[in-house]
Amino acid sequence: MKGYVFHGPGQSAWEEVPDPAVKEPGDVIVRVDAVTICGTDLHILKGDVPEVRPGTVLGHEAVGEIVETGGDVRAVRPGDRVLVSCISACGRCGYCREGVYGQCRGGGGWVLGHLIDGTQAEYVRVPYADLSVYPLPGTVANEDAVLLADIFPTAYEVGVLNGRVRPGDTVVVVGAGPVGLAAVATARLFGPERVVAVDLAASRLQAAKEFGADAVADAGEGPEQLIADLTGELGADVVVEAVGVPEAFELCARMVRPGGHLANVGVHGAPATLHLEDLWAKNVTITTGLVDTRSTPTLLRMAAAGRLPTRRLVTHTFPLDHMQEAYEVFGGAAETGALKVVLGVPQHEVVPVPPAA
């Protein structure tokens, strides 16, 4: 088969790789029908994730069809259309028993496209399938479903839930890329007074308005003053960092109010300064996190009901073998306007939902 292979910082190619095979009784093999590219994949290509070895097939998000299962798999069978989660869960270790699948110590966690071959290929081996793939309802199209593999669970769990968004809050999302926009959309589920999006790109600020932001601010024009004006000089109740650069994290720390929450979502490849001389007496809670995907079943139900703006994030589509072009478009988002790119061809007919009587 072919897959998109990492060969070291700045080096990658769509090329022939060995077909995946069932190695453990909990494995499944999935034919990839739709796959997307994550900002984390760009960090890998920059060399920010040194655990990824040259020769690894990238990607950790996909929708496809089960073609083979190991002997212990019970939740799915060949022919099932499934969502491949970005997180694999052994289900037995202490973290998995608490639903903290991202920290799995039994061989799971973030392994696809990280420690083992990933989803940006024609086929992928998925370990611990009973907890790591999700059968899909016919009402959810591939292009919608693939965004529930990582983007929406990450924004919802690591941003909104960790940030403890509550009714009446002022929420600031720094970074209006795909995860930031998903954070804007899912924060609104909790009835905040206002959601403010901060970014450098005018096109992404416009997208934030379309996803439900009440106000937007250019990151280069002192958004701290806007937040101070909106909150009577107190600062935001919740600030979500969705960029992954030191300047963004430090901006978030300046905008959070005493007793507020700063939820870091961004993947950082360089140290950020934590100004404890300013924060030590403010009762500020700072959270970090790798997504656990425990919210995926809930988000799937919401997507099936039309409650999540998944498709609106998809700005570009490509055949699966146009991986290099898709990476160039996604990596050059400032010029191309890309939010999410989806590769692959729909393999099924979406079942329409009849109107209520």
Side-chain angles (χ1 to χ4, degrees):
M1 70 167 189
K2 286 192 172 182
Y4 196 68
V5 181
F6 171 71
H7 289 294
Q11 302 176 62
S12 55
W14 177 256
E15 61 188 44
E16 294 284 343
V17 295
D19 291 343
V22 169
K23 295 182 179 180
E24 301 291 341
D27 292 352
V28 297
I29 307 299
V30 177
R31 183 196 70 211
V32 175
D33 294 335
V35 66
T36 185
I37 301 170
C38 180
T40 304
D41 297 319
L42 300 183
H43 280 280
I44 292 171
L45 290 178
K46 291 177 183 177
D48 290 344
V49 189
E51 299 88 357
V52 182
R53 296 181 178 180
T56 301
V57 175
L58 296 181
H60 49 267
E61 308 156 272
V63 169
E65 183 178 310
I66 302 286
V67 297
E68 186 179 355
T69 64
D72 288 350
V73 176
R74 297 291 181 267
V76 292
R77 60 187 178 182
D80 285 351
R81 177 172 162 263
V82 297
L83 170 68
V84 178
S85 175
C86 65
I87 297 295
S88 302
C90 79
R92 297 186 299 270
C93 73
Y95 282 108
C96 283
R97 288 176 180 272
E98 295 175 357
V100 188
Y101 305 134
Q103 303 302 322
C104 174
R105 290 298 183 264
W110 173 35
V111 293
L112 291 172
H114 181 208
L115 305 180
I116 65 174
D117 285 337
T119 58
Q120 290 171 5
E122 294 173 320
Y123 293 86
V124 59
R125 177 180 74 91
V126 183
Y128 305 116
D130 280 343
L131 286 174
S132 307
V133 301
Y134 298 85
L136 287 170
T139 53
V140 181
N142 290 352
E143 297 92 328
D144 295 298
V146 74
L147 300 187
L148 302 179
D150 183 356
I151 296 301
F152 270 87
T154 294
Y156 182 59
E157 295 177 15
V158 186
V160 175
L161 295 184
N162 279 3
R164 299 190 180 181
V165 176
R166 297 177 299 180
D169 278 355
T170 292
V171 179
V172 178
V173 178
V174 176
V179 172
L181 293 175
V184 169
T186 53
R188 297 218 62 86
L189 299 172
F190 291 83
E193 179 182 356
R194 62 176 69 88
V195 178
V196 182
V198 177
D199 203 283
L200 288 169
S203 61
R204 291 196 164 187
L205 293 177
Q206 179 58 41
K209 293 178 183 178
E210 297 169 4
F211 276 75
D214 301 289
V216 298
D218 189 315
E221 297 182 358
E224 302 99 312
Q225 188 58 55
L226 171 63
I227 302 307
D229 291 344
L230 289 173
T231 61
E233 305 296 328
L234 280 176
D237 300 281
V238 180
V239 185
V240 177
E241 198 283 346
V243 182
V245 299
E247 296 81 5
F249 178 84
E250 292 164 27
L251 173 62
C252 290
R254 293 194 298 272
M255 291 192 293
V256 67
R257 71 189 302 166
H261 288 74
L262 193 171
N264 183 88
V265 182
V267 178
H268 288 264
T273 300
L274 181 62
H275 287 283
L276 286 176
E277 74 277 13
D278 296 325
L279 294 172
W280 73 270
K282 286 189 173 181
N283 292 21
V284 171
T285 299
I286 298 174
T287 57
T288 65
L290 179 65
V291 64
D292 295 314
T293 66
R294 65 183 181 275
S295 67
T296 300
T298 298
L299 295 172
L300 271 172
R301 292 195 300 271
M302 294 181 67
R307 298 293 302 277
L308 295 178
T310 47
R311 185 72 62 90
R312 286 159 55 191
L313 272 173
V314 179
T315 54
H316 297 75
T317 57
F318 301 87
L320 188 61
D321 60 358
H322 286 216
M323 193 68 69
Q324 187 62 52
E325 180 184 357
Y327 261 90
E328 291 170 359
V329 168
F330 184 63
E335 293 76 32
T336 64
L339 292 175
K340 288 297 285 183
V341 301
V342 173
L343 300 97
V345 178
Q347 299 289 333
H348 80 296
E349 182 178 351
V350 177
V351 178
V353 178

